[in-house]
Amino acid sequence: MSSDDAGSGGRPQVRFLAIGRVIAPRGVRGELKVAVETDTPERFLRTSRVFMGEERQVFTVRAARLHQGNALLRLAGVETRNDAEVWRNAYVYVALEDAVPLEEGEYYHHQIRGLRVRTTAGEDLGRVLEVLQTGANDVWVVRG
């Protein structure tokens, strides 16, 4: 998932990448339980700032750990369970410049959306509208 602004050539310009979604507060000191939505969960342990919710409010990460398949985050300014409750169901983003570098031949979904799809014979099939993650493999939705 990504955050898009109008870009050049009709393709959205991505500035943020979603790495998780807040499931619930955890404990009474403002810790957030986050469902991991990245292929590299360890990135939570190396991230010093995140952006929260649709407004992309910036927070400094005070502490992060992985626990039972989720990330647990402590953010500066989120000190109580009530502070944390505000962020329930909010997406957690990183700035594109803080994204994990990819290996050769790997791409982020936002880099694939909008590309033209052609057969090996050169027949134009359309453009990639969406990339769906099914677990076993990604499915590209193409409109001709």
Side-chain angles (χ1 to χ4, degrees):
M1 180 169 204
S2 60
S3 170
D4 303 330
D5 292 327
S8 61
R11 287 192 67 188
Q13 180 175 332
V14 173
R15 296 181 20 216
F16 301 95
L17 298 176
I19 61 170
R21 185 182 51 80
V22 176
I23 299 170
R26 185 172 188 277
V28 296
R29 295 191 177 151
E31 191 170 47
L32 299 169
K33 182 178 181 181
V34 178
V36 174
E37 296 192 7
T38 175
D39 291 339
T40 53
E42 301 78 23
R43 76 150 13 272
F44 282 95
L45 307 177
R46 299 186 309 264
T47 299
S48 62
R49 69 178 178 159
V50 294
F51 299 82
M52 300 286 291
E54 290 189 26
E55 298 297 318
R56 310 302 189 264
Q57 185 174 337
V58 65
F59 287 93
T60 299
V61 177
R62 293 173 58 195
R65 60 194 171 110
L66 300 176
H67 179 68
Q68 297 180 344
N70 295 302
L72 302 176
L73 294 180
R74 291 283 321 266
L75 306 177
V78 180
E79 307 300 329
T80 68
R81 185 173 184 88
N82 288 343
D83 293 342
E85 185 64 48
V86 170
W87 298 106
R88 184 186 291 267
N89 295 317
Y91 278 95
V92 179
Y93 300 91
V94 292
L96 185 59
E97 62 265 20
D98 296 332
V100 173
L102 299 177
E103 299 292 325
E104 186 176 333
E106 293 182 326
Y107 301 92
Y108 285 109
H109 291 174
H110 74 270
Q111 295 172 309
I112 295 170
R113 281 189 222 105
L115 294 179
R116 300 227 46 97
V117 178
R118 293 185 177 88
T119 66
T120 54
E123 177 186 359
D124 185 35
L125 299 177
R127 290 192 181 275
V128 177
L129 293 180
E130 188 176 0
V131 179
L132 305 174
Q133 291 182 285
T134 65
N137 57 287
D138 291 346
V139 175
W140 296 9
V141 178
V142 178
R143 177 170 290 161

